[in-house]
Amino acid sequence: MAKAPPRTVLITGCSSGIGLRMAVQLAQDPSKRFHVIATMRDLRKKDKLEAAAGDTLNKTLSIQRLDVCSDESVAECINSLPEKRLDVLVNNAGVGLVGPVESISIDDMKRVFETNFFGAIRMIKAVLPEMKRRQRGHIVVISSVMGLQGVPFNDVYAASKFAMEGFCESLAVQLLKFNIFISLVEPGPVNTEFEMKLMEEVARSEFPGADAATVRYFKEIYLPASHEIFTTMGQTPEYVAKASSTSA
């Protein structure tokens, strides 16, 4: 029996964290079942991925630029694939936003939705025509437990994840007709550089527009508790990547 060709897997947001670890885990598959296209918005941040990829680089793993917020960037990346064929899409790219809602501008809220919600939809729209034509495909969305349950001071981030959950649950039913499957991965706290950097930034913020009592509640109660949860109970990116990789 002829050996099946490797499945092409495209992952967004691979400069660090879950995306990086998932790309490397799939590329290092002993049976070489996958060819991974690891993408990121800024290729100047590819050094960590290249180091982690080791000898899989340019063999079972290749790196490409892709900005999920740009129609042109998405089209350029998908059009570069042979016959635009993609077996598995992993929507991992995302941004966070924490703080009192009164202090968050509408533009910042839109930025979160542009990446977390519309960015994922932009990717799905780009790959669906070819997946439907072949009657085969798998879409994995790295969501969050906050897509199921809101958390104080994460109002906008949680809303973007709730929106993604509703979109995917609705679309999944339609796609069964075409033998295309959607998997939602909903990790809890994940101890990543992304989370720690976000916490450090918000700790230094003044939050104009929010009343003193709310800012005090946020800084003196929420932030210490959140930091404790992430450092003591947070999952590792490797663990989440391993669980997510089983979906691919």
Side-chain angles (χ1 to χ4, degrees):
M1 181 181 294
K3 183 179 179 179
R7 300 169 72 195
T8 301
V9 182
L10 187 149
I11 308 174
T12 65
C14 292
S15 61
S16 64
I18 297 170
L20 185 153
R21 297 315 318 173
M22 189 173 183
V24 171
Q25 285 184 18
L26 292 177
Q28 292 177 344
D29 177 64
S31 300
K32 294 182 169 56
R33 291 174 296 167
F34 308 101
H35 173 68
V36 180
I37 302 169
T39 72
M40 61 188 70
R41 183 175 57 183
D42 187 353
L43 289 178
R44 291 174 297 182
K45 297 181 179 180
K46 67 180 180 178
D47 292 355
K48 289 182 181 179
L49 176 57
E50 288 181 331
D55 60 7
T56 67
L57 187 63
N58 298 322
K59 294 178 183 176
T60 53
L61 183 146
S62 60
I63 302 174
Q64 289 194 35
R65 181 185 180 278
L66 191 156
D67 181 357
V68 300
C69 297
S70 165
D71 291 337
E72 293 75 15
S73 179
V74 170
E76 181 179 357
C77 186
I78 298 301
N79 289 338
S80 72
L81 303 177
E83 301 179 354
K84 300 183 183 179
R85 175 175 178 142
L86 186 65
D87 297 297
V88 182
L89 167 66
V90 181
N91 281 308
N92 170 72
V95 294
L97 186 64
V98 183
V101 69
E102 307 98 308
S103 67
I104 300 173
S105 71
I106 295 295
D107 284 342
D108 283 343
M109 295 181 188
K110 288 180 178 179
R111 179 177 60 86
V112 170
F113 268 81
E114 184 59 42
T115 300
N116 295 359
F117 182 65
F118 291 110
I121 292 176
R122 188 174 281 110
M123 292 301 304
I124 292 171
K125 281 170 57 68
V127 304
L128 272 186
E130 181 58 23
M131 285 185 174
K132 283 184 173 182
R133 188 189 68 79
R134 291 189 295 114
Q135 299 261 311
R136 184 176 181 180
H138 196 157
I139 296 167
V140 180
V141 177
I142 308 299
S143 182
S144 167
V145 69
M146 289 191 213
L148 302 172
Q149 179 178 352
V151 174
F153 296 110
N154 285 267
D155 323 77
V156 178
Y157 177 80
S160 72
K161 295 299 183 178
F162 265 82
M164 199 67 236
E165 297 265 339
F167 176 85
C168 288
E169 289 179 11
S170 299
L171 184 62
V173 177
Q174 305 169 43
L175 295 184
L176 289 176
K177 171 180 173 58
F178 300 95
N179 197 38
I180 300 170
F181 300 91
I182 293 181
S183 296
L184 278 164
V185 181
E186 296 149 336
V190 183
N191 196 351
T192 66
E193 293 179 15
F194 169 83
E195 297 291 350
M196 293 302 104
K197 183 179 179 182
L198 181 62
M199 290 298 177
E200 291 172 3
E201 289 176 352
V202 298
R204 295 192 297 267
S205 300
E206 296 299 326
F207 304 105
D211 61 274
T214 299
V215 174
R216 190 162 53 249
Y217 172 33
F218 175 71
K219 288 194 171 185
E220 295 179 6
I221 298 176
Y222 170 80
L223 280 182
S226 182
H227 185 269
E228 180 73 11
I229 289 171
F230 274 98
T231 54
T232 61
M233 300 173 59
Q235 304 163 93
T236 65
E238 289 81 5
Y239 178 83
V240 178
K242 184 175 182 179
S244 303
S245 296
T246 61
S247 299

